[in-house]
Amino acid sequence: MIKFLDLHKINERYRDEIDSRIKKVLDCGWYLQGEENKVFSNHFAEFCGVKYCIGVANGLDALNLIIKAYGFKDDDEIIVPANTYIASILAITQNGCTPVLIEPDIKTYNINPDLIERKITTKTKAIMVVHLYGQAVQMQKILELAKKYNLKIIEDAAQAHGALYQSKRTGALGDAAGFSFYPGKNLGCLGDGGCVTTNDEELAQRIKAIANYGSDKKYHHIYKGINSRLDEIQAAVLDVKLKYLDNDNQRRREIAQYYCENIRNAEIILPYNREEKPIKDYLSHVWHIFAIRTQNRDKLQQYLEENGIQTNIHYPTPPHKQEAYKEWADLSLPVTEEIHRTILSLPMSPVLTDNEVEKIVEILNKWNY
């Protein structure tokens, strides 16, 4: 069976280094807000090209903390893509704000910049961009809109560690960004973890305090905060793996290129138009997910399983059709709904072998629904 994602194999490559760093933490006896967090935060901030990185408990908390730190009021509006994982929207509603859902571009699956301006109102305070599946959002028009209407740009970069847009990495494209270090991410730890990146010193200090019970120093609380911290062991693991992230992302690009150039099945829609290059800006995509589409998604998934290939669906049900948001039950977002009905994720990781990738392509090309 070719696994969709072999986390053991991914982490085993760095076993000796990870063991050594975890031992260092154990020997030190300091498990929260210590030296490992400082080291990793500095290294990841440098990697992203920003001044500040604040480690937090997970990616949802990262987005939540950004919105909370900006102090948006109840019913303030935040523009967000409709085609995203529910965490992007949960962070907005958990802060009492109103998500304004924007349809994606059917080719990139990211938010369609051409549809944003018509949804901006006097209540709009921010635009949240989601670099879905590892592809950086086309930011130019969004940056212009943010400047024109005095809006904040929040990046949900949970799937796009290391992706570039016009020579800048995700995490440095807006006012603040939330990252997830969930184990399956391009940069994943051995549990839950996340961070916020920003160039705004005041925002960074506010987020750091809010994440620590609202405390700027021990037993002194200036905000009604929460408890959201990246522990020392996870920070140590992430610092080891960060050194290899660019190489891992490059391997993902090689696999994606092979998929794009060799999958030849009329029933399958690849992440680009066959007559174009796979990606206009080659480095803009880090291929966290390689998502194809087909009108017979469930049949294809069953066929691949029967032929020893695991797949996944990112995501079967869009947020506006989830029970949690039943107030949107009558909302129609046809592009988003089409994507969620037809999307299927193929195996993608830096430890896939050439033989495995070739086998996947061979079996896909033989599929005849």
Side-chain angles (χ1 to χ4, degrees):
M1 175 67 74
I2 299 175
K3 292 184 176 181
F4 174 73
L5 184 65
D6 192 336
L7 289 177
H8 178 266
K9 193 174 179 181
I10 287 172
N11 290 314
E12 191 65 22
R13 299 174 298 164
Y14 316 127
R15 179 66 174 266
D16 290 345
E17 288 183 77
I18 288 172
D19 283 349
S20 176
R21 291 289 286 272
I22 291 176
K23 184 178 184 299
K24 182 180 176 184
V25 174
L26 293 174
D27 290 344
C28 173
W30 192 282
Y31 307 122
L32 289 169
Q33 297 182 310
E35 188 62 27
E36 295 294 342
N37 252 283
K38 291 178 184 175
V39 169
F40 171 68
S41 293
N42 287 337
H43 285 164
F44 194 67
E46 183 180 0
F47 175 83
C48 293
V50 296
K51 295 178 181 177
Y52 307 102
C53 169
I54 306 97
V56 298
N58 55 68
L60 174 56
D61 278 6
L63 296 174
N64 212 327
L65 283 159
I66 293 168
I67 296 170
K68 190 180 293 290
Y70 275 130
F72 298 140
K73 299 176 183 177
D74 285 355
D75 296 327
D76 280 347
E77 295 175 351
I78 298 178
I79 287 172
V80 64
N83 183 44
T84 185
Y85 183 56
I86 199 169
S88 312
I89 292 166
L90 286 172
I92 296 170
T93 57
Q94 285 175 0
N95 282 281
C97 297
T98 300
V100 177
L101 305 182
I102 304 294
E103 287 269 57
D105 181 321
I106 192 64
K107 286 186 178 179
T108 67
Y109 308 137
N110 279 333
I111 192 168
N112 188 336
D114 295 333
L115 302 180
I116 293 176
E117 188 166 19
R118 69 189 71 171
K119 293 290 187 177
I120 295 174
T121 72
T122 56
K123 291 185 177 181
T124 307
K125 295 296 185 289
I127 301 171
M128 182 184 290
V129 296
V130 181
H131 307 295
L132 197 66
Y133 301 154
Q135 184 173 7
V137 171
Q138 294 298 303
M139 294 293 297
Q140 188 57 45
K141 182 171 285 190
I142 296 171
L143 291 166
E144 291 169 2
L145 289 173
K147 183 177 181 181
K148 180 178 179 180
Y149 293 100
N150 192 29
L151 305 177
K152 298 297 183 184
I153 295 180
I154 301 168
E155 294 177 75
D156 180 342
Q159 299 185 1
H161 312 71
L164 288 166
Y165 176 75
Q166 295 183 351
S167 78
K168 277 184 147 182
R169 291 196 195 265
T170 54
L173 301 176
D175 295 286
F179 284 89
S180 167
F181 300 127
Y182 181 78
K185 303 298 185 184
N186 291 36
L187 180 62
C189 56
L190 303 184
D192 266 325
C195 78
V196 174
T197 59
T198 184
N199 283 312
D200 185 333
E201 181 179 8
E202 183 180 348
L203 182 71
Q205 293 304 319
R206 200 177 302 137
I207 288 171
K208 188 175 180 181
I210 294 171
N212 187 33
Y213 299 97
S215 174
D216 60 340
K217 57 185 177 181
K218 196 166 185 178
Y219 301 134
H220 184 252
H221 304 270
I222 55 178
Y223 305 109
K224 296 174 182 176
I226 63 173
N227 175 22
S228 182
R229 297 173 292 198
L230 181 68
D231 71 66
E232 287 289 279
I233 288 177
Q234 303 305 338
V237 170
L238 289 165
D239 197 53
V240 169
K241 295 178 71 175
L242 178 60
K243 295 183 296 183
Y244 305 100
L245 179 57
D246 279 335
N247 286 337
D248 280 357
N249 284 342
Q250 178 58 28
R251 175 57 181 160
R252 289 173 179 269
R253 292 188 184 104
E254 291 169 0
I255 294 167
Q257 184 171 359
Y258 188 87
Y259 279 154
C260 287
E261 291 178 353
N262 292 280
I263 294 173
R264 304 194 182 282
N265 189 316
E267 296 287 332
I268 294 172
I269 300 170
L270 294 168
Y272 76 113
N273 184 309
R274 287 184 193 278
E275 279 66 49
E276 299 172 358
K277 293 182 179 179
I279 295 297
K280 289 181 180 179
D281 176 0
Y282 178 62
L283 297 176
S284 72
H285 212 315
V286 292
W287 300 102
H288 173 61
I289 299 295
F290 189 94
I292 61 174
R293 289 194 298 118
T294 178
Q295 295 301 318
N296 301 295
R297 188 262 311 282
D298 294 343
K299 293 286 187 182
L300 177 56
Q301 185 174 42
Q302 181 182 347
Y303 164 80
L304 291 171
E305 182 75 20
E306 290 169 352
N307 282 274
I309 299 169
Q310 287 183 344
T311 59
N312 210 332
I313 299 173
H314 296 88
Y315 303 95
T317 307
H320 72 283
K321 295 298 183 183
Q322 297 284 355
E323 186 177 351
Y325 290 104
K326 53 183 175 288
E327 63 269 29
W328 290 334
D330 296 329
L331 184 61
S332 176
L333 295 164
V335 179
T336 296
E337 290 159 23
E338 172 69 8
I339 290 170
H340 286 251
R341 187 179 63 81
T342 58
I343 207 84
L344 183 67
S345 303
L346 300 183
M348 171 56 75
S349 84
V351 297
L352 277 175
T353 67
D354 288 347
N355 286 340
E356 287 173 327
V357 176
E358 289 167 8
K359 180 182 176 182
I360 292 165
V361 170
E362 180 185 355
I363 290 171
L364 279 168
N365 286 340
K366 289 179 179 177
W367 182 55
N368 184 15
Y369 174 71

